[in-house]
């Protein structure tokens, strides 16, 4: 019988069909496939008849697509998409191949290192793991024994272990497990949780079925969490179903370029356009009054009065968007309801007024009644896989041993909280006392729950990462041991120079342990460096919201063994906990990480081996998560509950937690807010403002969405401009500069400006300018200080479509560590220098001699580091960094 040869394209087409039928395509990925000629590269052609296909989860960015890695002769050769992933549907972007770049980067960290010179001097000695972990344990153990575990600070950049690192910090007893969420997403998460509840920190718009999208500063076609999932669905809706997309943005982004309409909006005025749209919808009688009256907790007539002055003409004056277009877009949007949705991201949210702008944008969806409807603004039923909503039929996850959510075992019960609270300055105690009592119990200290930013820890532990170093410098928290995990603060935080200053000071931070893959700017300021395994070499549990509106889960599994002596963070923390002892070891009573995750997933309806072979599991028979708020409560959920006769709120008697609401005589879920309705009106904002002394007339203190101009943008002088940053589609912020193929594509960061602005300033394409940034205004960190915050020099590129008052420059390049590719230098760098070259797992003929863009090769170089010049600027109450408010001046060099 003649045997048919399948191409890889045939394989994925067949695989997609098998996946839809519920059969298992992946185990036979490499069976019966003859070699398919590809570009040979340095390692030759891949022989698919011999290569092994292993599903895993991509870590090229935070979208985390399901992928399949091809392994040949013990080396990962190629990454493809996994057709079983319901979000990406087998599609991937270039970042997926970046996992190969950072796994086989010749200057990657492969061995534990201890510094032998001054901190930051770049002199290192290789040490055995036992010695490195033993030294760290000897520094940490006395902190627990002395009853001061909070002096250990764990600060991470991207932690996708789903609670594993929290298991370690809880077991040790420190509350200081710090993240970078304020740098990233807290300003847009807070409005979502205020409106819809803690369970809904992310939206999942039903783009596949929508007819109209209004996009305020989102960029899924280029750089967006979940962007790949959104990109294909949006284009499918636009091309195949005639959907329209309108984008408001300050520069012609990739998303703006494919939109049906693009408006270069004045930065920070998205809320003005949203309010004007609300005004028009109400004036035209296009609101969905039935939905609003049923679910919004704010009278419609009150909203009508609130927006009476927010006319399209008023919004045009603020934003520059023509009033007639605002009016038309509002009408088109409302008439498309409920198959319409908004989209927003950093463009709208990362401003002083960004939280309220996003609340206005959220109000638009409620007003037209598209929430949870087909084609509308939908909400994910999944938060961390074990999400509260829509769990019927989903297996519960387990963890071996104590859970990460267990009370901290080392004296961090209520007694510790109260003792720590009483040690706080009296004025801080007053602020916390003014806040709701249940949050006082969660108060742990200024690094974890800063008193000035109570809404950074009200719904969710979003922290205020950019203030960690100033607070340490001000001695708000004594630090004895500081551990950074894949954190790039010394390079990528605002005022990164301040982070470096604090990390270099051995009195402020006596001992710094860095866990990283590359020799980053952060690792360069450590005392001990521990080399971490890459995402192609480790295990992780994975879950995220599904834009197909059916929860799913996946597993990241190792494709190859860790190179050198690198170890996964799970192994590192397990072994460190055992050395510290004192009860910590009880939380890490397992040796095999595969066994740990096998037990985690023990309740899946398929076997562990099948799950590994698929990489993804989803119940395809499950109903989509439309209108979750209307779903009836189960008998189990109604057990031992009571109903408030006035509000209809259903509460658990024992815990006092609201679990649902009675509507039309039926017990249904509603939303996960205190009122079980949509929190258009939320008193937490003025309560929090009062607690920290923020004036109640500040835009962020209002219980309903309001508009006010960004303080430093008021009466902006003609010679001042607004400076904004952005991300490139082939890079992942500042974490991918050492991916050689990606850096070959984008390795510099010119300042983009409108050509008319350039002509006004007397500039030509390619001229060098000095861009000076000033301190922010308003109620924020060091606001109103006279003089410049910082400056940098860079070359100019003209780009039509940029707002004339905007200067735009990406922030991902200009590295001064992270190896030769990131630095664009044709020479090796520390800690590679002075370490036995025989230890290298492989050679790369391109690095470091063939970086054609390096200065040594007469190239343009590796770009300009701009983050030192950007001020720390937390939004009041939430603490999110106002990245896009910066005011600057321009001077030709």
């Amino acid at each position: 019988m003649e045997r048919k040869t399948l191409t890889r394209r045939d394989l994925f087409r067949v695989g997609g069909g098998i996946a839809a039928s519920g059969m298992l395509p992946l185990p036979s990925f490499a069976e019966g496939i003859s070699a398919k000629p590809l570009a040979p590269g340095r390692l030759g052609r891949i022989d698919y008849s011999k290569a092994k296909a292993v599903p895993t989860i991509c870590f090229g960015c935070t979208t985390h697509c399901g992928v399949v890695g091809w392994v040949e002769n013990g080396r990962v050769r190629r990454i493809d998409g996994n057709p079983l992933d319901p979000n990406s549907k087998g599609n991937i972007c270039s970042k997926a191949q970046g996992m190969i770049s950072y796994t086989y980067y010749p200057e990657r960290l492969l061995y534990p290192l201890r510094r032998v010179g001054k901190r930051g001097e770049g002199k290192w000695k290789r040490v055995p793991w036992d010695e490195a972990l033993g030294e760290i344990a000897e520094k940490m153990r006395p902190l627990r024994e002395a009853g001061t575990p909070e002096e250990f600070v764990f600060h991470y950049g991207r932690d996708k272990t789903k609670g594993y690192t929290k298991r370690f910090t809880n077991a040790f007893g420190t509350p200081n497990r710090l993240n970078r969420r304020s740098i990233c997403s807290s300003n847009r998460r807070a409005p979502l949780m205020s409106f819809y509840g803690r369970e809904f920190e992310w939206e999942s718009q039903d783009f596949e079925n929508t007819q109209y999208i209004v996009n305020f500063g989102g960029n899924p076609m280029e750089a967006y969490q979940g962007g790949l999932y959104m990109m294909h669905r949006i284009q499918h809706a636009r091309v195949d179903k005639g959907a329209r997309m309108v984008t408001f943005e300050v520069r012609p982004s990739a998303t703006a370029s494919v939109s049906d309409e693009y408006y270069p909006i004045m930065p920070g005025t998205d809320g003005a356009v949203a309010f004007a749209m609300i005004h028009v919808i109400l004036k035209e009688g296009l609101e969905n009054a039935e939905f609003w009256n049923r679910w919004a907790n704010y009278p419609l007539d009150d909203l009508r009065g609130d927006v009476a002055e927010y006319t399209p003409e008023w919004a045009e004056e603020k934003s520059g968007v023509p009033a007639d277009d605002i009016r038309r877009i509002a009408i088109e949007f409302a008439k498309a309801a409920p198959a319409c949705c908004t989209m927003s991201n950093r463009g709208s949210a990362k401003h002083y007024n960004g939280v309220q702008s996003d609340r206005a944008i959220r109000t638009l969806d409620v007003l037209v009644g598209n929430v949870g409807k087909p084609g509308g603004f939908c909400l994910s039923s999944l938060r961390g896989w074990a999400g509260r909503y829509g769990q019927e039929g989903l297996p519960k996850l387990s963890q071996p041993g104590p859970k990460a959510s267990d009370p901290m075992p080392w004296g961090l019960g209520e007694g510790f909280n109260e003792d720590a609270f009483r040690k706080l300055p009296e004025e801080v105690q007053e602020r916390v006392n003014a806040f709701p009592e249940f949050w006082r119990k969660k108060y742990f200290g200024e690094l974890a729950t800063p008193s000035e930013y109570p809404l950074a820890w009200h719904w969710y532990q979003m922290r205020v990462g950019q203030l960690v170093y100033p607070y340490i410098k001000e001695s708000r928290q004594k630090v004895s041991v500081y551990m950074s995990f894949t954190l790039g603060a010394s390079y990528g935080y605002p005022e990164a120079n301040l982070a470096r200053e604090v990390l270099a000071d051995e009195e402020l931070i006596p001992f710094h342990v860095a866990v990283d893959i590359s020799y980053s700017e952060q690792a360069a300021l450590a005392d001990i460096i521990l080399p971490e395994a890459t995402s192609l070499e480790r295990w992780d549990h994975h879950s995220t919201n599904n834009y197909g509106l059916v929860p799913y889960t996946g597993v990241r599994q190792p494709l190859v063994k860790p190179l050198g002596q690198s170890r996964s963070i799970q192994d590192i923390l397990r072994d460190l906990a055992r050395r510290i002892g004192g009860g910590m070891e009880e939380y890490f009573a397992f040796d095999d990480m595969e066994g740990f995750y096998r037990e985690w997933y023990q309740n899946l309806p398929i076997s562990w081996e099948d799950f590994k072979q698929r990489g993804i599991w989803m119940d395809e028979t499950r109903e989509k998560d439309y209108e979750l708020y209307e779903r009836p409560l189960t008998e189990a959920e109604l057990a031992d509950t009571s109903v408030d006769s006035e509000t209809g709120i259903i509460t658990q008697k024992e815990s006092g937690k609201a679990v649902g609401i009675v509507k039309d005589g039926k017990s249904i879920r509603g939303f996960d807010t205190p009122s079980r309705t949509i929190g258009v009106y939320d008193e937490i904002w003025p309560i929090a403002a009062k607690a920290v002394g923020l004036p109640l007339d500040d835009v962020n203190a209002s219980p309903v969405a309001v508009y006010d101009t960004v303080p430093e943008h008021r009466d902006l002088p003609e010679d001042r401009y607004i400076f904004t940053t952005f991300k490139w589609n082939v890079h992942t912020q500042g974490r991918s500069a050492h991916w050689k193929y990606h850096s070959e594509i984008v390795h510099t960061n010119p300042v983009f400006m409108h050509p008319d602005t350039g002509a006004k300033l007397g500039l030509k394409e390619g001229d060098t300018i000095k861009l000076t940034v000033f301190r922010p205004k308003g109620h924020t960190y060091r606001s109103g200080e006279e003089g410049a915050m910082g400056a940098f020099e860079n070359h100019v590129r003209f780009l039509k479509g940029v707002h004339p008052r905007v200067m735009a420059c990406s922030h991902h390049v200009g590295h001064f560590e992270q190896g030769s590719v990131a630095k664009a230098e044709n020479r090796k760098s520390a800690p590679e220098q002075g370490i036995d070259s025989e230890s290298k797992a492989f050679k790369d003929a391109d690095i470091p001699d063939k970086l054609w863009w390096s200065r040594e090769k007469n190239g343009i170089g590796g770009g300009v580091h701009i983050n030192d010049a950007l001020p720390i600027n937390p939004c009041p109450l939430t603490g999110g960094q106002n990245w896009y408010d910066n005011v600057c001046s321009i001077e030709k060099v």
Side-chain angles (χ1 to χ4, degrees):
M1 182 176 179
E2 184 178 353
R3 178 180 176 183
K4 181 181 178 182
T5 298
L6 295 177
T7 66
R8 292 177 63 253
R9 184 179 298 275
D10 292 332
L11 179 68
F12 283 110
R13 184 166 57 246
V14 172
I18 296 175
S21 67
M23 295 177 63
L24 193 66
L26 296 185
S28 60
F29 238 38
E31 296 176 8
I33 306 171
S34 64
K36 172 71 175 174
L38 296 174
R42 297 192 181 278
L43 297 176
R45 306 180 192 278
I46 302 175
D47 185 346
Y48 287 100
S49 66
K50 298 178 180 178
K52 180 182 180 182
V54 184
T56 189
I57 305 296
C58 183
F59 210 163
C61 74
T62 58
T63 296
H64 297 286
C65 301
V67 295
V68 176
W70 294 86
V71 183
E72 186 179 26
N73 298 323
R75 183 183 177 112
V76 183
R77 296 291 310 280
R78 181 181 176 88
I79 304 293
D80 279 315
N82 185 342
L84 293 180
D85 186 321
N87 265 333
S88 61
K89 300 181 179 180
N91 297 297
I92 57 170
C93 73
S94 65
K95 296 187 187 76
Q97 311 305 326
M99 291 191 292
I100 299 177
S101 288
Y102 63 57
T103 298
Y104 299 113
Y105 187 41
E107 294 176 86
R108 175 187 163 186
L109 296 169
L110 294 176
Y111 303 91
L113 301 173
R114 180 196 293 126
R115 72 173 173 94
V116 294
K118 296 180 180 179
R119 189 180 289 178
E121 191 177 5
K123 295 182 179 179
W124 301 91
K125 175 185 177 181
R126 187 188 304 171
V127 294
W129 268 103
D130 283 347
E131 185 176 329
L133 292 176
E135 182 174 348
I136 298 168
E138 289 302 314
K139 298 285 187 180
M140 293 180 65
R141 189 182 302 111
L143 302 181
R144 299 181 83 230
E145 294 173 347
T148 57
E150 70 275 7
E151 292 181 19
F152 168 57
V153 174
F154 183 85
H155 198 176
Y156 63 91
R158 290 295 182 191
D159 176 12
K160 294 299 177 181
T161 62
K162 299 296 183 184
Y164 191 99
T165 59
K166 187 176 181 181
R167 172 189 292 260
F168 180 84
T169 53
N170 277 13
F172 187 81
T174 181
N176 289 315
R177 179 178 176 270
L178 311 177
N179 58 38
R180 58 180 296 281
R181 197 155 285 128
S182 63
I183 298 294
C184 181
S185 59
S186 54
N187 274 12
R188 66 179 300 259
R189 292 194 195 209
L192 277 165
M193 291 185 286
S194 177
F195 264 53
Y196 301 115
R198 168 67 180 89
E199 301 293 346
F200 296 129
E201 57 178 306
W202 287 112
E203 72 274 28
S204 304
Q205 296 97 329
D206 189 17
F207 288 121
E208 280 183 306
N209 299 302
T210 198
Q211 286 296 302
Y212 209 97
I213 304 166
V214 180
N215 171 28
F216 295 92
N219 190 12
M221 304 296 171
E222 191 166 13
Y224 194 110
Q225 185 161 332
L228 188 66
Y229 312 156
M230 303 164 78
M231 178 189 304
H232 295 281
R233 288 170 167 84
I234 290 172
Q235 290 302 79
H236 172 66
R238 291 182 64 246
V239 174
D240 296 338
K241 298 184 178 180
R244 291 184 62 79
M245 181 162 68
V246 178
T247 291
F248 301 102
E249 182 58 276
V250 301
R251 65 181 185 91
S253 66
T255 303
S257 70
V258 300
S259 297
D260 297 280
E261 300 178 54
Y262 158 56
Y263 295 90
I265 193 172
M266 180 70 176
T269 65
D270 304 78
V273 173
F275 275 121
M277 290 179 64
I278 294 170
H279 173 99
V280 170
I281 291 169
L282 288 169
K283 185 177 180 180
E284 297 293 328
L286 296 174
E287 72 277 8
N288 188 329
E290 181 181 0
F291 181 85
W292 181 278
N293 293 331
R294 181 175 176 82
W295 287 115
N297 69 344
Y298 191 60
L300 192 57
D301 286 341
D302 287 1
L303 178 68
R304 200 182 306 274
D306 292 341
V307 301
E309 303 299 321
Y310 293 150
T311 65
E313 288 71 24
W314 166 87
E316 178 179 358
E317 183 179 344
K318 297 291 183 182
S319 67
V321 180
D324 288 344
D325 289 326
I326 294 175
R327 186 173 287 105
R328 173 182 52 80
I329 292 167
I331 293 172
E332 291 174 351
F333 177 78
K335 286 185 175 181
C340 64
C341 57
T342 61
M343 175 168 55
S344 63
N345 207 286
R346 293 186 176 192
S348 62
K350 302 303 281 184
H351 296 281
Y352 187 94
N353 63 2
V355 168
Q356 295 289 31
S357 291
D358 263 35
R359 292 181 77 198
I361 296 166
R362 300 288 77 83
T363 303
L364 262 175
D365 293 298
V366 183
L367 187 63
V368 298
N370 66 19
V371 179
K373 303 293 181 63
F377 188 86
C378 293
L379 302 163
S380 173
S381 68
L382 176 69
R383 191 197 67 75
W385 168 248
R388 170 177 171 74
Y389 284 94
Q391 281 195 98
E392 305 88 18
L394 289 181
K396 294 181 179 180
L397 294 180
S398 63
Q399 290 189 56
K403 295 181 176 59
S405 59
D406 285 351
M408 299 181 186
W410 193 259
L412 270 182
E414 293 303 313
F416 175 89
N417 296 343
E418 293 301 316
D419 290 342
F421 177 76
R422 285 193 291 270
K423 294 176 184 177
L424 294 173
E426 187 173 329
E427 61 272 18
V428 176
Q429 291 190 44
E430 290 177 359
R431 290 174 179 175
V432 179
N433 276 325
F435 216 58
E437 176 66 19
F438 63 92
W439 280 120
R440 181 168 171 256
K441 292 180 180 178
K442 284 184 173 287
Y443 191 86
F444 282 132
E446 289 296 278
L447 295 187
T449 54
S451 56
E452 292 95 332
Y453 302 94
L455 297 189
W457 42 278
H458 171 59
W459 297 283
Y460 194 72
Q461 296 174 348
M462 296 188 281
R463 312 310 194 201
V464 187
Q466 69 271 45
L467 285 172
V468 167
Y469 301 104
Y471 281 7
I472 292 175
K473 186 176 181 179
E474 296 167 9
S475 300
R476 296 201 190 190
Q477 172 64 58
K478 181 181 178 182
V479 178
S480 296
V481 177
Y482 175 89
M483 181 180 288
S484 57
F485 169 43
T486 59
L487 179 69
S490 295
Y491 161 83
Y493 270 29
E495 299 186 47
N497 53 323
L498 178 58
R500 297 195 299 275
E501 175 191 334
V502 171
L503 287 169
D505 191 328
E506 295 184 43
E507 291 188 6
L508 293 173
I509 299 181
F511 191 65
H512 175 198
V513 180
V515 183
D516 214 329
I517 293 168
S518 66
Y519 185 68
S520 63
E521 289 81 3
Q522 192 85 3
L525 292 169
D527 300 300
I528 286 183
I529 301 175
L530 302 179
E532 196 207 3
T534 72
S535 55
L536 297 179
E537 302 167 334
R538 72 182 229 200
W539 293 94
D540 276 320
H541 154 61
H542 166 73
S543 65
T544 189
N545 53 318
N546 180 4
Y547 283 87
L549 300 176
V550 177
Y552 77 103
T553 190
V555 63
R556 180 176 290 118
Q557 58 183 317
L559 278 65
V560 291
K561 294 181 179 180
L563 287 179
Q565 293 180 7
S566 59
R567 297 182 182 179
S568 71
I569 186 64
Q570 293 96 326
D571 285 332
I572 292 172
L573 296 182
R574 177 200 63 198
D575 295 345
L576 180 57
R578 292 175 176 180
R579 282 168 172 78
I580 295 171
M584 284 193 71
E585 66 278 8
E586 296 176 9
Y587 282 65
F588 297 89
F590 43 83
D591 294 316
D592 176 28
M593 289 313 305
E594 180 176 356
F596 176 85
Y597 285 101
R598 182 192 297 114
E599 186 167 348
W600 187 312
Y601 280 108
Q602 65 180 323
N603 294 315
L604 280 182
I606 60 174
S607 72
W608 173 248
E609 291 302 319
D610 283 351
F611 185 41
K612 287 199 303 179
Q613 290 172 335
R614 296 172 68 97
I616 298 288
W617 180 83
M618 181 180 76
D619 181 3
E620 297 187 22
T621 67
R622 177 189 162 91
E623 181 183 355
K624 286 193 174 186
D625 287 336
Y626 293 128
E627 297 185 281
L628 293 169
Y629 46 87
E630 294 283 1
R631 292 192 181 179
L633 292 175
T634 64
E635 290 186 10
E637 290 170 324
L638 285 170
D640 199 29
T641 60
S642 61
V643 180
D644 186 294
S645 59
E646 292 186 9
T647 64
I649 296 174
I650 304 169
T651 305
Q652 290 177 343
K653 291 179 181 179
E654 183 176 351
S655 67
K657 179 177 174 56
V659 296
I661 191 169
V662 176
K663 292 281 188 182
D664 301 327
K666 297 179 180 178
S667 299
I668 58 177
R669 290 177 173 166
F671 295 88
D672 189 35
T673 60
S675 69
R676 306 306 293 184
T677 58
I678 299 173
V680 176
Y681 180 95
D682 193 343
E683 289 185 346
I684 199 66
W685 301 95
I687 289 174
K690 183 179 179 181
V692 302
L694 182 70
L696 294 182
D697 61 355
D698 187 276
V699 63
N700 293 287
S702 176
V704 294
V706 295
Y707 179 81
D708 197 6
T709 305
V710 172
E712 55 263 45
H713 297 179
R714 298 169 190 157
D715 303 318
L716 190 67
E718 283 299 314
D719 62 347
R720 296 289 169 91
Y721 298 86
I722 299 173
F723 178 60
T724 190
T725 65
F726 64 93
K727 307 174 190 177
W728 288 96
N729 58 349
V730 297
H731 279 288
T732 305
Q733 297 169 313
R735 292 175 287 136
S736 58
H738 58 301
W739 304 358
K740 70 174 187 176
Y741 297 122
H742 298 70
S743 285
E744 187 171 26
I745 297 170
V746 178
H747 43 257
T748 189
N749 58 333
V751 176
F752 289 98
M753 68 172 66
H754 195 283
D756 292 347
T757 305
K760 176 183 174 182
L761 294 169
L763 297 172
K764 297 179 181 178
E765 184 98 12
D767 280 352
T768 299
I769 61 169
K770 180 181 180 180
L771 192 151
T772 302
V773 183
F774 300 91
R775 283 279 177 196
K777 298 179 181 179
H779 300 279
T780 189
Y781 178 76
R782 296 181 64 180
S783 63
E785 293 185 5
E786 297 296 328
M789 161 58 222
F792 62 87
E793 294 184 2
N794 203 350
H795 66 285
V796 170
R797 289 284 302 275
F798 295 152
L799 181 63
K800 292 182 178 180
V802 176
H803 192 283
R805 300 304 299 272
V806 167
M807 303 289 158
C809 180
S810 65
H811 59 89
H812 73 289
V813 293
H815 282 266
F816 38 95
E817 297 294 356
Q818 217 173 30
S820 54
V821 172
K823 296 195 292 183
E825 293 180 350
N826 291 98
R827 55 182 179 272
K828 297 176 182 178
S829 60
E832 200 276 342
Q833 292 178 358
I835 293 180
D836 183 9
S837 61
E838 294 299 318
S839 68
K840 293 300 173 187
F842 66 98
K843 302 291 183 181
D844 190 320
D846 292 330
I847 301 174
D849 299 326
K850 297 183 179 180
L851 304 179
W852 53 264
W853 61 91
S854 68
R855 297 286 187 184
E856 295 93 329
K857 298 288 186 179
N858 297 315
I860 197 169
V864 176
H865 179 244
I866 69 173
N867 298 312
D868 286 357
L870 302 182
I872 293 173
N873 185 6
C875 184
L877 305 183
T878 63
Q881 174 68 15
N882 301 323
W883 281 114
Y884 303 145
D885 286 348
N886 304 301
V887 169
C888 69
S889 64
I890 302 295
E891 177 185 356
K892 184 178 179 180
V893 176

